[in-house]
Amino acid sequence: MPLIAKTPDGGSSSNNAEIKSYLGQSSLPRGMRNNNPGNIRIGTSDWIGKIPIVQNTDGEFEQFEYYKYGVRALMVLLRTYINQGHDTIHKIISKYAPSSENNTNAYINSVVYSTGFSAHLKIKFMSSHIFPIVKAIGKHENGQDAITDEDLNLAWSLI
């Protein structure tokens, strides 16, 4: 059974990534219901499509108007990490999911398994590297395949 996203007019859509939003759907994992499948914590970044902190109903994690913006934010964050020299899955996940909050080794192993990449492969910011990593992070964070190919392509087009 496909997940159903609410559209701005109150209708629903199972396949239109452009207007997909799971915002507030309590039956979904936190990352999905925040339109933030990477579970990016609230911070000072002025993300495209970010719901202002004063309107954020989560209080701990960013919320986005549409799902595409949460996927895009994850891609942009990974680009920043890569540009800072965190350019392997091991380095990316060690920074993204520090051991003070996560079982970082299990997270790294999960992403390695999902992507088929070595933990020490030098990652470049290109779709053939980033797409599998973004999907793997979304799956690990939400306990299910949370990011579709359509979501990835739309978010990539916004970078």
Side-chain angles (χ1 to χ4, degrees), residues 17 21 54 58 67 90 94 124 145 149:
S21 176
V54 295
D58 183 281
Y67 207 67
H90 185 271
S94 293
K124 297 180 180 166
D145 291 331
D149 290 342

Side-chain angles (χ1 to χ4, degrees), residues 11-144:
S12 63
S13 168
S14 61
N15 60 359
N16 191 338
E18 184 69 37
I19 57 172
K20 180 174 15 178
S21 176
Y22 297 123
L23 198 59
Q25 293 188 33
S26 60
S27 64
L28 294 175
R30 188 179 203 174
M32 294 178 73
R33 70 176 178 257
N34 284 334
N35 288 332
N36 177 6
N39 279 324
I40 298 169
R41 290 197 178 276
I42 291 175
T44 58
S45 295
D46 190 21
W47 301 111
I48 292 173
K50 173 180 176 170
I51 292 177
I53 292 173
V54 295
Q55 296 173 344
N56 182 304
T57 58
D58 183 281
E60 192 173 346
F61 293 94
E62 296 283 13
Q63 292 178 320
F64 294 91
E65 182 180 2
Y66 295 112
Y67 207 67
K68 63 185 177 184
Y69 296 132
V71 176
R72 179 196 176 276
L74 179 54
M75 289 179 176
V76 170
L77 185 58
L78 294 180
R79 180 180 66 191
T80 300
Y81 287 178
I82 291 166
N83 290 341
Q84 293 172 343
H86 303 281
D87 58 359
T88 67
I89 289 174
H90 185 271
K91 291 176 184 177
I92 289 168
I93 299 303
S94 293
K95 181 166 178 66
Y96 187 79
S99 59
S100 60
E101 300 176 15
N102 299 274
N103 181 338
T104 304
N105 287 330
Y107 203 139
I108 291 167
N109 290 338
S110 172
V111 173
V112 164
Y113 178 80
S114 291
T115 63
F117 297 159
S118 161
H120 300 288
L121 171 72
K122 188 169 175 104
I123 302 299
K124 297 180 180 166
F125 191 73
M126 56 189 194
S127 61
S128 62
H129 282 184
I130 296 304
F131 283 19
I133 294 170
V134 168
K135 277 185 122 170
I137 289 172
K139 183 175 185 176
H140 188 86
E141 291 288 335
N142 295 282
Q144 62 188 40

